Amino acid sequence: MNDTPHSTPADGGEDGLALQGAAFLLKLSAMLRTAKTHDVTNQAFQRQLRDLMDLLRQMIEEDGRDEIALVSVADYFYLNGHRIKAQASLLSVYHSLMGEFERRSLGGIRFLNGVNEAQLERFFQLFLGAEDAALAERLPEAVREASIEHVVPVPAVELESEDIAEPLDQKEAQSERGRAKRVFWRAVLGTRRIVLRARQTGRPDLRQAKRLVQPVVDSIMRHEYSVVGLTALKDHDEYTYAHCVNVSILSVGMGQVLGLPRQVLADLGVAALLHDIGKISIPGDVLRKPAALSAEEWLLMRRHPLEGVKMMCRMPGVAPLTLDTMRVCLEHHMNFDRTGYPEISHEWGQATLSRIVAVADVFDAMTAHRAYARRPYSAFEGLQHLLGPTRVSFDPAVLWALVRTVGLYPAGSVLHVDSGHVVLSLSPNHTDVRRPNCRVLVNPDGSAAEEKGEEWTPMPAGYQVTRVLRPEEHTFNTAEQLAA
C-alpha cells in the first residue's frame, strides 16, 4: 500500500461517506477534547473512543473498504476523497481540528481495515504528545515504533503531489470566495499560533503576522471583498482569534478607501492584527466571563493597551512597524474625542492608524456573540449605531471609510428588495455601497430558493432595498449561508 491516501479529492459526492463526514469530525474532535482533560483509562475517554471506533468500523464495513482516509488539503477536510462541507454548525470543530493537524505538520490520517480500540488509544496518546514541533516531526516514526500497523499518519509534505494539491488549488483559484475563505481561515489559525507563541516568549512574531496580512492586502488591492464578508462569521470557537483577523481585514479595507499606500496598508494590517496582544496578561476567567465585569475586573481589562505596549517594547530594534504597532496597542481604545482609555493628562492626538483600528475594533466587537447579552447587534444595526449616537467618538473620515468598506448593508444582512425577493448580503460591492453581492433566499412568488440559491454579483442596478429584516423577523441560518 502507498503511504499517501489513494483517493483524489472530489467535491461533494452524495455517498455514505460524504454524509458521514461531519459525524466523523465531531466524534474525532470530541475524543481529542476529552483526551486533553482525562487520562486514557477514564470512562469518559473510553466512551468517546468506542464511539469513534464504532463509526470507523461501520464506514469501513459498508462497502468492504480497505481504509478510511481523513485528509486536510488547502483548508478543507476530505474523507476518502469527498469534501466534508464546513457548514456553520461545524465551523468550530472544523478549524479546531485543522489547527491540530497544522501544529503537527500533518496532512492526513489513514485508518486501515483491521484497526482496533487498543491501536486507536495508543495512536492518540502519541498524537496528543506530538504538539511540540520537535516531537511532531517524529510522529510517523513513533507510530511505527509502537507497532501501530492500522493507523498511519501522513505528513503534510507527502500530500503536495499533483494528483491531490494541484487540482484543488486550480479549483480554488477560479472562485474569489474560495480564495477568500483560504486567506481568512489561514489567518485565524496563524493568529492563534502567534498568540500562543507570544504567551511563551513574551513577544509576538511580527514576521509571521506580516505573512498572514499580505494576502489580505493583496485581496483588498484587487477589489476582492469576499474576505470582508467573512468577518460577519462570529459564532464559532475560534472567534477570539478571528476578532483580531476581522479587525485587520476591516482596517486594511478602510485604509485603502482613505488612500494609504500598499506598504502602509501592510503595516496597518499587522498593527490591527496585534492590537489586543496585551490581553495575554489578563486572566482567562476574566476574558471569558459570561457576564458583566466587576469594577476590579474592568480595571484589569483596561490595562491591556499598556500591557500590549510593554510586550512590543521587548521586540529587538526599533523598526517603524514596531513603533506603529506599539502605538495602535496603546491608542485603539482612546477614542477620537479622548473619552476612552488609557487616560493621559496632557494633550495627545490619536494616530491615524489607531483611529482606523479603533473603528474596526468596536464595529466587530459590537456585532459579536456575548453570552450575557440578549443578542449582539446585527452588522446593519452596529453600523447605524456607529453613525448615530456614538459617531462623535470616532474620526468622521474613518466612519465614512467603514461604510465604503462594508457597504450600507453589511454581510449577514437579510434584505427585502422592491422586486419581491428576500436576499442575504454576502459581501460589499466597492462600486456601489447600496447594492451588495447577495444570495437569493426567497423568490418574488414567496417560494423558498434552492439550497444554494441564485447569487447576484452585485444586486442588479434596477433593484432597491426596501427594508432590512431584524434577526427576530426571519428564521434563516445566515451563518451557514455565509460559510457556504
Side-chain angles (χ1 to χ4, degrees), residues 200-215:
Q200 298 172 338
T201 65
R203 63 190 189 194
D205 185 341
L206 286 181
R207 285 180 300 178
Q208 172 69 0
K210 284 192 279 189
R211 285 194 291 269
L212 297 178
V213 166
Q214 194 57 56

Side-chain angles (χ1 to χ4, degrees), residues 32 100 104 106 109 123-131 139:
L32 289 175
E100 299 284 359
R104 294 162 179 83
L106 198 62
I109 306 174
F123 170 77
F124 284 111
Q125 281 181 303
L126 295 172
F127 180 89
L128 289 168
E131 189 160 359
L139 180 59

Side-chain angles (χ1 to χ4, degrees), residues 285-341:
D285 57 344
V286 174
L287 286 174
R288 296 186 296 269
K289 186 176 179 181
L293 300 179
S294 67
E296 293 78 11
E297 291 166 338
W298 182 235
L299 285 174
L300 273 177
M301 185 68 80
R302 286 168 65 100
R303 278 199 58 80
H304 81 267
L306 295 172
E307 295 297 332
V309 172
K310 287 165 61 178
M311 187 169 288
M312 293 305 303
C313 284
R314 300 187 188 111
M315 299 296 296
V318 193
L321 175 58
T322 304
L323 293 174
D324 284 339
T325 304
M326 189 182 299
R327 190 153 185 185
V328 166
C329 285
L330 177 66
E331 297 177 345
H332 68 277
H333 283 298
M334 278 188 175
N335 293 343
F336 187 59
D337 61 355
R338 296 298 292 113
T339 57
Y341 63 90

